[in-house]
Amino acid sequence: MTDIIDFSVFYDRACERKGGEAAMRSMLPEVVSDKELAKITDDRVLSLMTRCIFRAGFVWQIIDRKWPQFEEAFSGFVPLYWQQVPPERLEELAQDERIVRNFQKIVTVPVNARMIVEVSEEHESFGQFLANWPHDDQVGLLMFLKKNGARLGGNTGQYLLRMLGWDGFVCASDMLTALRNYNLLDASPTSQKGLKQIQTAINHWHQETGLPRSHISRILSYSVG
């Protein structure tokens, strides 16, 4: 990688492309404080995990419209129940017309429920675990989710963190293009090397600007075109 350029290059271009600074900033994702993260209940974490998993490779709008029915079908996503759910319950869900009946995705729920329960036993809640995790090491957190959860690798884990309000990047195609245009990414963004290159650049710009990392990630995307 080459030297990291001043972030104002991307910021100014994003403002120009999105109709001015105020308009651009109004489109940036919400970031919650660590205190707010710690208050997120485990059932909401499991719900969002499952939502991101079902969204992956599917039309997001369909999943979002059906989500109240998913909540009913999965009885509110209580991890203590789903970590030891009987196989017959999963088979019933595979026939439940209230949800998208993808059995490979349905069976991720008990796996991820067990991860949440185990983490909560050590950290009081999964939200507290996320609040404690340093934001300059998103790569480590993504590796944890991939190793200990089900179908949380790739962009799914990144979108999960974004939906929870954890301050981190998402490897959107335009964001990756912006980095490649300035020789800041020369490895696959799905590899640890590529993710670490992305993390290094975004951590640098966070120190330079004081902007949240999720805002930097989105502004990079807006700067392309």
Side-chain angles (χ1 to χ4, degrees):
M1 291 203 309
T2 188
D3 292 336
I4 299 178
I5 68 170
D6 191 280
F7 191 68
S8 63
V9 172
F10 303 102
Y11 190 94
D12 293 345
R13 188 172 298 156
C15 290
E16 180 181 351
R17 292 192 65 249
K18 294 300 178 180
E21 183 175 21
M24 187 276 290
R25 292 187 72 95
S26 71
M27 303 178 203
L28 299 177
E30 179 183 4
V31 179
V32 303
S33 67
D34 289 342
K35 185 176 181 180
E36 291 172 304
L37 273 173
K39 292 179 180 178
I40 299 174
T41 58
D42 287 346
D43 63 298
R44 293 304 86 203
V45 174
L46 183 57
S47 174
L48 282 174
M49 277 184 183
T50 308
R51 192 168 184 171
C52 288
I53 289 166
F54 272 88
R55 276 178 158 195
F58 204 76
V59 181
W60 288 22
Q61 293 88 338
I62 293 176
I63 300 300
D64 291 346
R65 281 199 303 269
K66 292 177 71 72
W67 202 251
Q69 294 172 276
F70 272 81
E71 290 281 351
E72 292 176 4
F74 284 92
S75 305
F77 291 100
V78 178
L80 284 171
Y81 169 75
W82 286 103
Q83 70 162 340
Q84 54 188 4
V85 66
E88 296 79 14
R89 181 80 166 88
L90 300 176
E91 292 168 4
E92 290 172 5
L93 284 166
Q95 306 301 321
D96 195 325
E97 295 184 356
R98 291 175 294 179
I99 69 170
V100 173
R101 292 166 289 175
N102 183 320
F103 192 67
Q104 286 73 31
K105 294 185 177 184
I106 290 169
V107 296
T108 66
V109 175
V111 178
N112 290 328
R114 282 193 292 273
M115 174 181 65
I116 291 170
V117 170
E118 290 171 2
V119 166
S120 296
E121 287 174 350
E122 184 175 351
H123 297 272
E124 298 183 9
S125 71
F126 202 87
Q128 185 64 63
F129 165 75
L130 292 176
N132 292 342
W133 196 283
H135 293 273
D136 61 0
D137 182 28
Q138 181 176 346
V139 177
L141 180 52
L142 293 173
M143 293 302 105
F144 177 91
L145 294 173
K146 180 178 180 179
K147 178 181 178 181
N148 295 282
R151 287 186 175 245
L152 293 175
N155 281 18
T156 302
Q158 298 168 28
Y159 281 117
L160 168 65
L161 296 177
R162 176 67 57 83
M163 289 181 72
L164 287 166
W166 196 88
D167 185 25
F169 59 82
V170 169
C171 292
S173 59
D174 285 347
M175 187 269 274
L176 300 176
T177 297
L179 293 175
R180 290 184 179 120
N181 285 346
Y182 287 88
N183 300 315
L184 297 171
L185 177 63
D186 59 17
S188 168
T190 61
S191 68
Q192 286 199 45
K193 179 181 178 182
L195 288 171
K196 287 178 180 179
Q197 289 178 344
I198 295 165
Q199 183 84 80
T200 296
I202 289 180
N203 283 345
H204 175 88
W205 288 320
H206 171 73
Q207 292 296 323
E208 175 191 311
T209 66
L211 289 170
R213 292 172 176 84
S214 63
H215 289 190
I216 291 169
S217 174
R218 182 69 63 82
I219 290 167
L220 288 169
S221 292
Y222 289 161
S223 73
V224 173

